[in-house]
Amino acid sequence: DPGEYVSIIGPSGSGKSTLLNILGLLDRPTSGEYLLDGVPTGSASESVRSGLRGGRIGFVFQSFHLLPRRSVLDNVLLPMLYSGVPRGEREERARTALERVHLTHRTTFHPTTLSGGERQRVAVARAIVAAPHLLLADEPTGNLDSTNSAEVMDLFDELHGDGLTLAVITHDPVVSARAQRRVRIADGRLEELDR
């Protein structure tokens, strides 16, 4: 539901990443229908799916996926090329997103000079810069130590507090416990976990 914070846990190979790819419109479901903001996506054309993905979904991955030879600011600007944000608004929005993740002092740095936690915060800024309705995170703390992990999860709590819908895949029970709702996927079945 809009504004919800869900964690998805399960053993390796259970289908967590496949579920995330379907939610992110990277894959199509083999059966059933997935509605994103009321729009049926399974049978939608690639251009409709691409527009929904670019305008309504932000992605955060375990391995950051930042361009190493581009500045932090350039990395955050990149998704706006595909989301329909007018050229005149892009830099201001990128700087606002970097302020949101507490990295305004690193705009000219390259990702290779940043700590793992800083790189993940750049990835979060890149994911939220186009004001998505849904943030999908695949093991967002998997490459981080406990301090940086806690900082990224605090940031997710802030984003959720601002009304962003979050779905976080994790193996970490501490990360999972931060979500207001927890589900487990195993053997092709999704089950709700008690709080």
Side-chain angles (χ1 to χ4, degrees):
D1 290 329
E4 201 167 25
Y5 184 173
V6 179
S7 69
I8 303 165
I9 61 170
S12 294
S14 64
K16 296 184 305 293
S17 292
T18 299
L19 176 60
L20 194 76
N21 286 344
I22 290 171
L23 294 175
L25 305 179
L26 299 171
D27 290 338
R28 292 180 188 265
T30 52
S31 64
E33 185 62 78
Y34 167 45
L35 302 176
L36 177 64
D37 287 341
V39 177
T41 62
S43 58
S45 70
E46 278 308 314
S47 63
V48 168
R49 289 168 60 86
S50 179
L52 288 169
R53 190 172 41 250
R56 298 188 189 183
I57 302 171
F59 295 90
V60 177
F61 301 99
Q62 178 176 348
S63 55
F64 319 127
H65 295 299
L66 300 175
L67 300 173
R69 290 182 168 73
R70 302 303 298 246
S71 71
V72 163
L73 183 62
D74 287 343
N75 270 278
V76 176
L77 283 165
L78 185 64
M80 288 186 286
L81 298 175
Y82 309 104
S83 64
V85 175
R87 181 185 299 261
E89 292 179 27
R90 291 178 191 161
E91 186 169 336
E92 180 183 342
R93 286 177 73 161
R95 290 184 183 282
T96 299
L98 286 165
E99 183 178 336
R100 184 77 178 89
V101 301
H102 317 292
L103 283 176
T104 53
H105 62 294
R106 297 276 195 244
T107 57
T108 60
F109 285 58
H110 287 86
T112 54
T113 65
L114 303 176
S115 72
E118 288 173 324
R119 280 185 254 176
Q120 193 61 294
R121 287 188 287 151
V122 172
V124 171
R126 181 188 58 203
I128 64 170
V129 72
H133 300 192
L134 171 63
L135 181 66
L136 300 174
D138 192 359
E139 294 288 351
T141 61
N143 285 336
L144 304 178
D145 61 31
S146 59
T147 301
N148 283 310
S149 226
E151 287 177 7
V152 168
M153 295 316 299
D154 287 346
L155 179 58
F156 279 15
D157 289 344
E158 289 175 28
L159 294 169
H160 175 248
D162 290 344
L164 185 61
T165 305
L166 290 116
V168 178
I169 287 181
T170 185
H171 284 101
D172 187 335
V174 173
V175 170
S176 177
R178 301 280 292 253
Q180 73 185 81
R181 183 170 163 221
R182 298 170 52 227
V183 296
R184 175 180 170 77
I185 188 169
D187 300 324
R189 295 223 175 261
L190 196 63
E191 64 178 343
E192 192 89 23
L193 298 175
D194 295 328
R195 283 301 295 155

